[in-house]
Amino acid sequence: METTKTGVDVLFILLGAVMVLAMHSGFAFLEVGTVRKKNQVNALVKIISDFAVSTLAYFFVGYSVAYGTSFLVGADVLVGKTGTTFGAQGYDLVKFFFLATFAAAIPAIVSGGIAERAKFNTQLMATAILVGLVYPTFEGMVWGTRLGFQDMMKNAFGVPFHDFAGSVVVHAVGGWIGLGAVLMLGARLGRYRKDGRLVAVPPSNIPFLALGAWVLSVGWFGFNVMSAQTIAEISGLVAINSLMAMVGGILTSLLVGRNDPGFVHNGALAGLVAVCAGSDVMHPLGALATGGIAGAMFVWLFNLCQNKWHLDDVLGVWALHGMCGLMGGFACGLFGLEALGGMGGVSFAAQAVGTLCGAAFGLAGGLAVYGGLKAAFGIRLSDEEEFAGADLSIHQIGAYPEEATTMHDDGLAMSVHASNGPKRSAAGY
């Protein structure tokens, strides 16, 4: 029976890892549908390349930083045949796979904020540093035993900081890192006129944007439910709370965003981001309220960033992940209380302190990493490369190569190719 139980746990967390892995295609298509045509290939290549670099950085460095475990031992040790460090039947290996997909969400989140003007190679360098050192440090503080953070929280507030599935550890930290990256990069060319007025850049493909949101939403039930990490700890409460928060985010973003399809689909994600922390302790009505607040908050903050603050965060990752994740950490400490129908075992004060620590840690990490890379190598495409688009400038092919040849009014064909230096893009941006 013990062997069967362990096998079921291995399968359980493996399925969760696969579902979160699928979410990365959602990140990719959400970005593809939002950016202009001349940057769609770059969005796809960037997400999958970041995932590969993240996996290696987390395997060789990050997991050890977070949990003090190294995989540089014999395979018999890794599958629990020898020694006691690793669980039987390779449980800790699939646990690594699951947590690696979480870690890789950090550069995937950042990618949306810095889209359309970031250098490719320096972004891969940033990914290695973020997933190898920055993210796992805070992950280990909250989900591991690193730096005595949870002991300190328990001594101060009577309970540890609670973040069941990463509203703060993954989303807030990733979103605030993204804010630091956006600040270091600056706005896209032509995004704002000299008088400060915003130049509209509509999404290039709403169906792709919607597809990305749907894939992320479906995968999120693996992200949240499988955070239990064993079959004995699985809870239907996590599933229904995730559903209710998603619905709440959709409805409020639909209302506040005045039927805008981009806001509606991102509203679902805002609700899911916010509910991660307390999805195991909230009442479904608390989860609905959490998602509803997050959906409306995303619309308001996105517009504020773009129109008032001139913060050119292309996909609104600071508003979506940074601020909705922040709100989710606070909401856990409120709607998780028994007085509001929750399971209890949480403290609003502990949640406030832990959440603010996560935001500050993420912003400091983002500014340090991207500021350092900016000084050492540069992190932004040249004006000519940005004008031509990242697809041609970096990858030498566009998403629609049949449009790479267009006709002038005089009937002469003009070839658009980046090999001899970027010119005007096929899409005419």
Side-chain angles (χ1 to χ4, degrees):
M1 289 298 294
E2 186 63 29
T3 299
T4 301
K5 177 185 177 300
T6 302
V8 171
D9 286 341
V10 169
L11 180 60
F12 173 71
I13 199 167
L14 174 61
L15 292 175
V18 171
M19 290 181 73
V20 184
L21 173 62
M23 291 175 69
H24 287 267
S25 68
F27 281 119
F29 278 100
L30 187 70
E31 186 172 332
V32 166
T34 305
V35 299
R36 290 167 287 187
K37 286 183 178 181
K38 62 181 180 178
N39 297 302
Q40 290 180 333
V41 170
N42 179 247
L44 293 168
V45 177
K46 186 169 48 170
I47 294 293
I48 198 169
S49 300
D50 276 340
F51 184 86
V53 171
S54 295
T55 300
L56 292 183
Y58 198 64
F59 183 86
F60 287 108
V61 181
Y63 195 82
S64 180
V65 170
Y67 303 105
T69 300
S70 171
F71 295 103
L72 302 181
V73 295
D76 58 330
V77 177
L78 293 177
V79 297
K81 293 281 188 183
T82 305
T84 58
T85 303
F86 291 88
Q89 297 176 250
Y91 173 80
D92 287 292
L93 300 181
V94 290
K95 180 181 177 181
F96 159 80
F97 181 11
F98 182 65
L99 292 174
T101 59
F102 277 51
I106 298 296
I109 289 168
V110 174
S111 176
I114 64 175
E116 301 202 306
R117 76 271 202 204
K119 282 186 176 180
F120 186 76
N121 289 335
T122 48
Q123 172 55 22
L124 293 182
M125 294 180 197
T127 293
I129 299 168
L130 291 171
V131 179
L133 296 172
V134 178
Y135 164 77
T137 298
F138 192 74
E139 176 192 16
M141 289 166 58
V142 176
W143 289 341
T145 58
R146 313 306 261 179
L147 304 180
F149 179 76
Q150 290 289 32
D151 290 336
M152 178 188 70
M153 296 294 286
K154 190 171 183 179
N155 290 336
F157 305 107
V159 293
F161 172 60
H162 188 89
D163 189 5
F164 180 70
S167 284
V168 178
V169 173
V170 178
H171 297 287
V173 169
W176 284 85
I177 288 173
L179 175 62
V182 169
L183 291 173
M184 288 293 105
L185 272 170
R188 288 168 288 176
L189 286 177
R191 182 59 168 146
Y192 300 100
R193 301 186 190 277
K194 290 182 179 180
D195 60 5
R197 286 186 299 165
L198 178 72
V199 176
V201 181
S204 62
N205 193 307
I206 293 296
F208 276 162
L209 185 157
L211 174 64
W214 269 109
V215 172
L216 282 165
S217 296
V218 173
W220 223 293
F221 288 85
F223 194 98
N224 283 2
V225 175
M226 269 73 165
S227 286
Q229 298 191 14
T230 62
I231 199 72
E233 298 296 323
I234 191 172
S235 172
L237 182 64
V238 177
I240 196 66
N241 281 346
S242 301
L243 179 65
M244 296 298 278
M246 181 182 78
V247 169
I250 292 169
L251 294 177
T252 56
S253 61
L254 178 68
L255 177 64
V256 178
R258 300 179 181 180
N259 301 330
D260 182 283
F263 284 142
V264 172
H265 287 91
N266 277 286
L269 307 182
L272 287 162
V273 165
V275 82
C276 287
S279 56
D280 63 327
V281 295
M282 292 180 181
H283 187 279
L285 293 180
L288 179 64
T290 298
I293 295 168
M297 191 170 74
F298 169 72
V299 176
W300 177 67
L301 284 172
F302 183 87
N303 286 328
L304 190 64
C305 287
Q306 300 289 343
N307 298 322
K308 300 293 185 181
W309 296 343
H310 291 185
L311 182 66
D312 192 15
D313 180 352
V314 181
L315 269 67
V317 299
W318 175 72
L320 179 63
H321 298 276
M323 288 302 292
C324 290
L326 192 81
M327 191 277 286
F330 282 94
C332 174
L334 180 64
F335 293 114
L337 297 172
E338 291 185 48
L340 292 177
M343 298 285 289
V346 295
S347 160
F348 185 80
Q351 292 305 115
V353 172
T355 298
L356 292 175
C357 284
F361 184 89
L363 179 59
L367 291 172
V369 171
Y370 284 93
L373 290 173
K374 182 178 181 178
F377 305 105
I379 57 176
R380 181 162 181 156
L381 296 173
S382 69
D383 289 354
E384 293 80 7
E385 290 170 329
E386 184 180 342
F387 183 81
D391 292 359
L392 296 179
S393 299
I394 297 173
H395 310 289
Q396 288 79 54
I397 189 170
Y400 308 92
E402 69 276 7
E403 294 181 7
T405 302
T406 186
M407 299 295 291
H408 289 303
D409 291 338
D410 59 4
L412 296 176
M414 179 182 71
S415 175
V416 182
H417 198 281
S419 58
N420 296 318
K423 300 181 179 64
R424 187 170 177 80
S425 76
Y429 297 115

